[in-house]
């Protein structure tokens, strides 16, 4: 008899509840299920995590994050060296294109895509990601992360030095354009100097950054969010079946 049939509500939750009894105080256990749900257990019991519980807004409406290291206010002035969080990306959705003030690492647990602006080549490159693929993105590189699947996508994301409340966590095209205007003098000539994606934000040309982000936005509008292939959908079904067999009971 499944956990749903037995009244526990979520498949696997009853097994997590049993595991919670053996956890030492302070230890937390997460089960990231293939269909996008997240089960959580500690010494006090088990429950399903959701947007209304222990999740924060993650750049855009409908996207959520749960911090594991650091918090939303992490910054160079309030350091934790890096933030590490669990993210939930809505079905068939993409983040607003942006650039981070620090290095960015994302582990995808489903079928995703990452649009990246390749400055030396002057073009947008889309990288299709698969479950278990991890991508490392340099500081200030324009990009956007998308969920190609029809179910919520779990990701693990690490950022060096910045939490989502910091002004340099995710610089969008609108923000880059505002900064470009602020850097211009009364004569309308920009007095700052720099290039796109430089090692430090001090030397970033925000006009170029805004243009690159607008290119990613345009590609998203024209191409939309890529779909999963028949092979990927079959693999996702097999993965859900494997999770049902392997998960805690």
């Amino acid at each position: 008899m499944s956990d749903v049939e037995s009244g526990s509500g979520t498949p696997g939750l009853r097994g997590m509840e049993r595991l919670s009894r053996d956890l030492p105080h302070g230890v937390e256990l997460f089960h990231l299920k293939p269909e996008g749900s997240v089960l959580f257990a500690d010494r006090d019991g088990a429950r399903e995590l959701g947007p209304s519980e222990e999740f924060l807004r993650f750049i855009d409406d409908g996207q959520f994050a749960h911090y594991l290291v650091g918090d939303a206010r992490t910054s160079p002035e309030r350091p934790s060296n890096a933030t590490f969080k669990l993210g939930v990306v809505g079905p068939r959705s993409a983040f607003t294109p942006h650039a981070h003030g620090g290095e960015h690492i994302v582990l995808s647990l489903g079928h995703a895509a990452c649009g990246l602006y390749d400055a030396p080549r002057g073009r947008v490159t889309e990288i299709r990601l698969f479950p278990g693929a991890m991508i490392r993105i340099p500081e200030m590189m324009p990009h956007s992360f998308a969920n190609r699947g029809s179910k919520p996508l779990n990701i693990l994301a690490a950022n060096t030095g910045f939490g989502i409340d910091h002004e340099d966590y995710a610089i969008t095209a609108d923000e880059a354009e505002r900064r470009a205007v602020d850097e211009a003098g009364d004569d309308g000539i920009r007095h700052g100097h720099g290039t796109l994606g430089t090692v430090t934000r001090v030397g970033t040309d925000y006009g170029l950054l805004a243009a690159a982000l607008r290119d990613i936005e345009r590609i998203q509008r024209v191409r939309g969010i890529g779909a999963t292939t028949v092979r990927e959908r079959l693999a996702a079904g097999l993965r859900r079946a494997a999770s049902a067999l392997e998960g805690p009971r």
Side-chain angles (χ1 to χ4, degrees):
M1 183 169 62
S2 72
D3 288 353
V4 172
E5 291 170 339
S6 66
S8 63
T10 301
L13 189 58
R14 186 172 60 180
M16 291 288 280
E17 289 172 347
R18 280 198 290 269
L19 287 174
S20 72
R21 301 166 194 162
D22 295 325
L23 293 175
H25 284 293
V27 174
E28 298 178 339
L29 181 66
F30 296 80
H31 184 193
L32 313 183
K33 297 174 67 66
E35 75 281 3
S37 62
V38 181
L39 305 185
F40 171 86
D42 60 13
R43 188 63 175 270
D44 295 326
R47 62 187 184 277
E48 180 176 1
L49 297 183
S52 62
E53 183 178 8
E54 298 185 12
F55 276 79
L56 302 174
R57 182 177 181 273
F58 192 7
I59 301 178
D60 294 307
D61 291 338
Q63 320 291 15
F64 304 96
H66 176 80
Y67 275 84
L68 301 173
V69 176
D71 59 40
R73 294 178 294 155
T74 292
S75 71
E77 293 73 37
R78 189 178 180 275
S80 60
N81 297 322
T83 61
F84 182 59
K85 54 191 173 292
L86 165 64
V88 182
V89 185
R92 304 284 304 148
S93 69
F95 288 103
T96 299
H98 57 273
H100 295 293
E103 186 178 26
H104 187 40
I105 300 169
V106 178
L107 171 64
S108 174
L109 300 181
H111 297 106
C114 189
L116 301 153
Y117 188 80
D118 187 339
R121 295 176 179 173
R123 70 187 189 193
V124 177
T125 299
E126 183 175 84
I127 306 299
R128 291 168 70 89
L129 301 175
F130 45 87
M134 184 167 70
I135 189 166
R136 185 173 185 173
I137 303 170
E139 173 182 332
M140 297 304 289
M141 177 172 283
H143 66 280
S144 179
F145 195 85
N147 177 7
R148 295 187 286 116
S150 59
K151 296 183 181 298
L153 166 69
N154 291 324
I155 63 174
L156 293 173
N159 292 74
T160 55
F162 296 90
I164 55 178
D165 282 354
H166 194 278
E167 62 180 5
D168 285 340
Y169 175 78
I171 303 169
T172 63
D174 287 346
E175 173 62 15
E177 288 171 349
R178 185 192 66 77
R179 295 186 187 191
V181 170
D182 288 346
E183 287 182 345
D186 294 337
D187 54 5
I189 299 175
R190 184 180 179 277
H191 294 283
H193 300 280
T195 59
L196 178 61
T198 53
V199 175
T200 63
R201 294 174 302 286
V202 175
T204 298
D205 186 322
Y206 287 106
L208 288 178
L209 177 59
L213 291 166
R214 293 298 185 200
D215 276 353
I216 299 178
E217 290 179 351
R218 178 179 54 80
I219 293 295
Q220 283 186 345
R221 286 195 303 270
V222 172
R223 297 182 184 173
I225 297 171
T228 53
T229 64
V230 173
R231 187 178 67 176
E232 287 174 330
R233 292 193 291 273
L234 175 60
L238 293 173
R239 195 171 295 106
R240 288 193 292 270
S243 177
L245 292 172
E246 295 172 341
R249 293 181 175 276

